[in-house]
Amino acid sequence: MSTTSQTTTVAAPTQLGIGTRFSIHPHCDDFVRVILDALDDVSQAGLTDGLVLQTDEVSTYVGAVEAPAEERLARYLAGVVAAASRRSDGGHVVAHVLLSRGCPGERTCDLAVTRLPVADPVDVPPTGIPAVAQWSLYPLLDGSSEHGDHMVPIEGAIAAAQRRGTATGPAHYATRLAGDVAEVLATAVDAWAQVGASIPHVVSHLTLSVGSPSVGQSR
């Protein structure tokens, strides 16, 4: 009976180490106030529920400890970026986001599970703030022949983003996304989670830019 139960167990967020590391950079003189006020805004809005946060000199770790893990992370990130944009009166804000699930080196991760969770598409309310991002996805197959060429899930994720209307074209080492902050982040999170339903260790990275003075000057 115990063996049968194990073969049907779906991994919980803490077993896979589902989380993100991010840093946010408002390009203004009072950036400290903007960051602290934005973090307070998302906390007051309840967007930290089900999450564990740890900040150091480089970045903030956000670990999801309750389902829906992916949606909690996406809503939190969108909330922080949008709040920082508003707190800086629409100034230039950049966020660096690293998403990871199934990392064998993560302290809370346990890959000795039998079923990977299949996440529903995340629901992130629109922010009304346009953003652009450079996005990359890394399925870490470790040479496994079971899943084949690592480019297959990457190309599938890009195709999904194109159908969604957020992928606007390729960039060196990345795919360019554009749209509402919420939709850009939802695109990246959904793709990362979808690949993670069949590949245990998946990483995604995006650099998100809001209010850039270079808008319209990309080549």
Side-chain angles (χ1 to χ4, degrees):
M1 182 65 179
S2 60
T3 302
T4 303
S5 298
Q6 287 180 351
T7 59
T8 59
T9 299
V10 177
T14 51
Q15 290 177 290
L16 282 181
I18 299 176
T20 182
R21 274 199 173 275
F22 85 100
S23 57
I24 192 161
H25 307 279
H27 291 233
C28 55
D29 291 338
D30 57 345
F31 64 92
V32 174
R33 176 195 60 81
V34 170
I35 293 172
L36 294 178
D37 286 352
L39 294 175
D40 185 60
D41 288 344
V42 295
S43 178
Q44 293 295 324
L47 295 176
T48 58
D49 294 347
L51 302 174
V52 173
L53 287 82
Q54 299 172 359
T55 298
D56 59 26
E57 300 90 339
V58 179
S59 62
T60 294
Y61 160 77
V62 185
V65 295
E66 296 178 9
E70 295 80 6
E71 184 164 295
R72 290 182 187 277
L73 293 173
R75 286 186 172 224
Y76 175 82
L77 291 167
V80 172
V81 173
S85 175
R86 296 187 184 102
R87 289 290 186 173
S88 63
D89 296 323
H92 188 197
V93 176
V94 174
H96 299 288
V97 178
L98 175 69
L99 297 160
S100 181
R101 58 189 289 139
C103 176
E106 167 61 28
R107 289 181 298 176
T108 60
C109 179
D110 177 13
L111 289 183
V113 294
T114 53
R115 286 180 57 195
L116 297 172
V118 176
D120 292 329
V122 299
D123 178 14
V124 186
T127 66
I129 299 171
V132 295
Q134 292 172 346
W135 164 58
S136 302
L137 179 68
Y138 307 99
L140 302 180
L141 301 178
D142 296 328
S144 169
S145 60
E146 178 184 351
H147 300 290
D149 184 356
H150 74 282
M151 284 304 299
V152 173
I154 294 174
E155 290 168 352
I158 293 171
Q162 290 170 337
R163 292 191 297 270
R164 194 168 190 154
T166 48
T168 61
H172 293 293
Y173 319 122
T175 296
R176 187 178 187 274
L177 303 178
D180 188 279
V181 166
E183 188 64 12
V184 167
L185 282 164
T187 298
V189 170
D190 279 344
W192 166 68
Q194 183 176 13
V195 173
S198 59
I199 297 173
H201 189 192
V202 184
V203 172
S204 189
H205 177 269
L206 66 158
T207 297
L208 192 92
S209 179
V210 172
S212 171
S214 300
V215 169
Q217 299 181 28
S218 59
R219 295 290 187 268

